[in-house]
Amino acid sequence: MKSDNTAAASSSPTVIETAVLVVGAGPVGLTAAIQLAHRGNDITVIEQRGADVPASAKCNHISARTMEIYRRLGVADAIRAEGLPDDYPNDGVYATRLTGYELTRFRMPCRRDRFDDHGYDDGDLPSPERAARVSQIYLEPALRRHLRERFSHVPVLHETRFTGFEQHDDFVVSHAVREDTGEELEIRSRYVIGADGASSSVRHALGIRLSGEDNLTRARTRLFRATDLLSRFNYPRAWMNWFIVDNTWSSLIAIDGEELWNFHCFMPPTREFADLDLDKALRDALGVGADFTYETVRDEDWIGRRLVADTFQVGRVFLSGDAAHLWVPYGGYGMNAGIADASNLAWMMDAVLKGWAPESLLAAHDAERRPVTEQVSAFASNLVEVLQETESALIEQDSPAGETARRAFGQRLRDANARSMVPSGLNFGYAYATSPIIVHDGEEPPPFTMGDYQPSTVPGARLPHFWFADGESLYDALPDAFTLLRFDADIDVTPFTAAAGARGVPFAILDVDPTDGVQKGTDLAELGYRHGLVLVRPDQHIAWRDAALPSDVRALLDHVRGAATARVS
């Protein structure tokens, strides 16, 4: 970042020059900034909130796929260390009330046992990483620390409000105001990333519409402190606790595993927020009386939607995260999808900034991410149906009939919610099936569902993970480059190396011995590895595969870097 302060004493704005302006310092904006700074780019971040204003506590789940991204950035361990104590169970429970009866339980290991998780409901994931039950309250500071400690030259300007921009042929001029001083800023950048949340000023400035359903459900949320709540559990403690009282659904999430909790009470979309007595709903769900005292930290009211922006790009300005898509915030799907947006956009933007790809590459971001977010938004909105599940008061009776009713209802809940509690398909199964920079070979990717994941090397899919014989993760062996996995050492890949060098494309070859080079018991064919060569992008998505080199390697590289769209054979 370069600043021109010569006009500080006059009414002229302070001019800042940077390669990329990121608007918004939530998880998505910070991830985009770290990704770009990690690759050596000049970044400036602005954020309207003050540095000491805590994040929302609505998102409390960081998916395993997101943790793969953070692993590559060197921040996964720091994030995992936040939040719950090492021995606090990450279980998800459905119960009548906190002081009532457990209906069903999804077993998920505590942080101490996270990588020794065989037999758990979310164990044995096809990944070197695991989900982290860490609240956004702790995630944002961890990302800010990482950015500050690793990339101290990247400014994060808090209390800075984005007010508009003008696009030019080669750059964007953005305008902002420092709300603490009134100082006006003029920020000149090659690109702008709008990661400024649901009410995005960047999206409004672009005039982009959100399409979909804007009122699926409503909820009132209370973040509170209660030092004795752990002692009131009538069943073994859990991270996520769902309750049904008088056919009203609510949830309680352990934030620090000691005294900080987040309570959501869900409402029909036609009901007004003011109609719900949140304190009464909280006490009813917990099953506590007037003797229970707590301290309210913050209340939030929110509407569950299914909305996706009509485009994620206009010229040099891009949208990511909640600025681009809004849906029911179950399971952190919105935040995790936004972080996937940032990962996708960052490698493309870096390629253009470094000069080894043309600007036409950036159009692939919208082509890849928007169809995926449309599908994810449908998954998230379908979960609203679970909130329509009802049961008679019989489930609260201390009787054989009550026990029978609880057992039957618990099984129904387990069957209905297994895919949302362990969304392996959502995390690992999306593919960029219609991308213009993927070399499609005619095979369709496996169905994209929330719960089921089928490994595949169909171009556009996430690269299936495996472990090498020496215990190294495939993902840890991949450099930040286009990488050619070679499963047949007899294939001469010299033309690939030469073509990549001529075009300046970061490129590496990773030889895999399918017999002795992988962990015992690994069936590469079952994972989809049936070709001698697989080309993977810097974001771990497959760009091309075949049994032999294409007739024109240069045309292939031009295709995957957005320089050509001619058919590769």
Side-chain angles (χ1 to χ4, degrees):
M1 180 188 78
K2 296 179 180 179
S3 298
D4 180 1
N5 294 309
T6 57
S10 70
S11 59
S12 299
T14 298
V15 176
I16 297 173
E17 294 184 2
T18 189
V20 181
L21 171 65
V22 178
V23 182
V28 175
L30 289 170
T31 300
I34 293 170
Q35 290 249 6
L36 288 163
H38 182 77
R39 294 178 166 112
N41 296 289
D42 186 23
I43 312 299
T44 297
V45 182
I46 63 173
E47 167 59 55
Q48 188 165 352
R49 289 176 297 154
D52 58 348
V53 176
S56 169
K58 276 193 298 187
C59 182
N60 296 279
H61 174 261
I62 306 171
S63 74
R65 176 58 183 145
T66 296
M67 291 298 283
E68 289 177 352
I69 293 168
Y70 287 148
R71 182 187 184 102
R72 294 183 67 80
L73 295 174
V75 71
D77 288 342
I79 291 170
R80 196 174 3 257
E82 295 288 340
L84 301 173
D86 278 351
D87 64 349
Y88 195 97
N90 284 191
D91 294 357
V93 165
Y94 287 79
T96 57
R97 305 173 195 258
L98 186 83
T99 55
Y101 298 97
E102 180 176 315
L103 297 168
T104 192
R105 176 179 292 259
F106 291 88
R107 294 182 61 249
M108 304 178 190
C110 62
R111 182 168 59 220
R112 180 194 59 210
D113 302 331
R114 184 67 272 191
F115 290 94
D116 184 19
D117 58 10
H118 182 69
Y120 286 89
D121 285 301
D122 69 341
D124 300 319
L125 294 179
S127 170
E129 274 297 336
R130 296 294 185 266
R133 272 80 196 194
V134 175
S135 173
Q136 188 174 336
I137 289 175
Y138 304 121
L139 173 61
E140 281 191 20
L143 293 174
R144 283 202 303 267
R145 263 193 321 272
H146 186 76
L147 185 61
R148 183 173 61 249
E149 292 171 0
R150 298 285 187 92
F151 310 104
S152 58
H153 60 284
V154 174
V156 180
L157 307 178
H158 285 274
E159 296 184 73
T160 302
R161 177 169 49 88
F162 174 87
T163 59
F165 67 88
E166 298 95 35
Q167 294 210 53
H168 301 267
D169 289 343
D170 299 319
F171 62 95
V172 183
V173 177
S174 299
H175 304 283
V177 176
R178 299 297 300 269
E179 295 196 319
D180 52 345
T181 64
E183 178 186 14
E184 296 183 357
L185 304 179
E186 182 179 288
I187 306 169
R188 300 180 183 181
S189 61
R190 288 274 302 274
Y191 303 104
V192 174
I193 299 174
D196 50 339
S199 58
S200 171
S201 297
V202 176
R203 187 183 68 241
H204 287 298
L206 289 169
I208 295 175
R209 292 176 56 251
L210 293 171
S211 297
E213 301 169 88
D214 66 356
N215 190 13
L216 293 171
T217 188
R218 296 186 172 205
R220 303 203 71 185
T221 295
R222 174 160 291 174
L223 181 68
F224 67 96
R225 284 193 176 88
T227 56
D228 71 335
L229 190 55
L230 274 175
S231 66
R232 294 175 182 259
F233 273 72
N234 196 45
Y235 50 81
R237 58 189 176 161
W239 159 69
M240 172 70 74
N241 305 266
W242 283 90
F243 312 117
I244 181 168
V245 177
D246 296 330
N247 287 328
T248 295
W249 281 100
S250 58
S251 64
L252 178 76
I253 303 166
I255 302 298
D256 65 358
E258 296 176 353
E259 63 176 19
L260 193 59
W261 308 86
N262 206 31
F263 176 76
H264 302 289
C265 188
F266 297 89
M267 308 163 57
T270 55
R271 192 173 177 187
E272 296 297 326
F273 290 119
D275 293 341
L276 178 73
D277 183 333
L278 188 54
D279 176 72
K280 181 180 184 303
L282 185 152
R283 292 178 184 277
D284 286 347
L286 300 184
V288 297
D291 65 312
F292 174 70
T293 60
Y294 66 90
E295 173 196 351
T296 298
V297 177
R298 183 168 66 246
D299 287 345
E300 289 185 71
D301 295 336
W302 50 269
I303 298 174
R305 299 177 166 94
R306 181 193 174 189
L307 298 171
V308 179
D310 292 344
T311 181
F312 289 5
Q313 176 190 5
V314 176
R316 296 178 170 274
V317 183
F318 299 80
L319 300 177
S320 287
D322 283 358
H325 41 75
L326 291 168
W327 48 66
V328 182
Y330 296 155
Y333 303 144
M335 184 192 75
N336 287 291
I339 289 167
D341 294 343
S343 178
N344 177 273
L345 180 58
W347 83 262
M348 296 181 187
M349 198 169 278
D350 172 71
V352 176
L353 291 171
K354 297 281 180 57
W356 58 266
E359 289 196 325
S360 55
L361 172 67
L362 295 171
H365 174 64
D366 179 83
E368 292 186 349
R369 289 302 303 165
R370 193 151 53 90
V372 170
T373 57
E374 288 275 10
Q375 290 174 289
V376 176
S377 73
F379 294 158
S381 62
N382 287 343
L383 293 179
V384 174
E385 297 175 8
V386 174
L387 299 181
Q388 313 309 316
E389 286 276 2
T390 61
E391 191 51 70
S392 71
L394 193 62
I395 61 172
E396 294 210 71
Q397 288 186 11
D398 183 12
S399 66
E403 175 61 28
T404 299
R406 286 191 290 276
R407 189 179 302 113
F409 189 42
Q411 188 60 54
R412 279 169 51 198
L413 291 172
R414 185 170 187 83
D415 294 343
N417 291 284
R419 69 190 191 279
S420 61
M421 282 290 187
V422 189
S424 295
L426 176 71
N427 289 331
F428 307 118
Y430 60 88
Y432 300 136
T434 59
S435 170
I437 59 168
I438 295 294
V439 184
H440 304 284
D441 60 10
E443 183 179 344
E444 292 294 320
F448 181 34
T449 67
M450 176 171 282
D452 298 320
Y453 167 63
Q454 180 181 334
S456 173
T457 61
V458 169
R462 165 190 168 272
L463 187 73
H465 178 263
F466 59 80
W467 297 93
F468 287 100
D470 63 1
E472 183 181 23
S473 162
L474 168 63
Y475 277 28
D476 291 343
L478 293 173
D480 187 26
F482 273 89
T483 304
L484 186 66
L485 274 64
R486 179 168 59 173
F487 296 88
D488 183 349
D490 292 333
I491 301 175
D492 180 11
V493 295
T494 303
F496 248 115
T497 304
R503 282 157 172 70
V505 176
F507 178 76
I509 298 166
L510 181 60
D511 283 315
V512 181
D513 180 345
T515 303
D516 300 319
V518 298
Q519 191 175 75
K520 187 177 180 180
T522 300
D523 187 334
L524 290 175
E526 191 174 283
L527 294 176
Y529 290 104
R530 302 185 305 274
H531 300 75
L533 299 172
V534 176
L535 183 65
V536 61
R537 310 188 316 191
D539 65 346
Q540 300 87 56
H541 280 262
I542 297 165
W544 167 87
R545 65 178 180 177
D546 211 329
L549 293 182
S551 58
D552 189 341
V553 176
R554 292 172 296 181
L556 169 61
L557 283 177
D558 285 346
H559 187 107
V560 301
R561 68 187 182 93
T565 56
R567 182 176 178 82
V568 176
S569 60

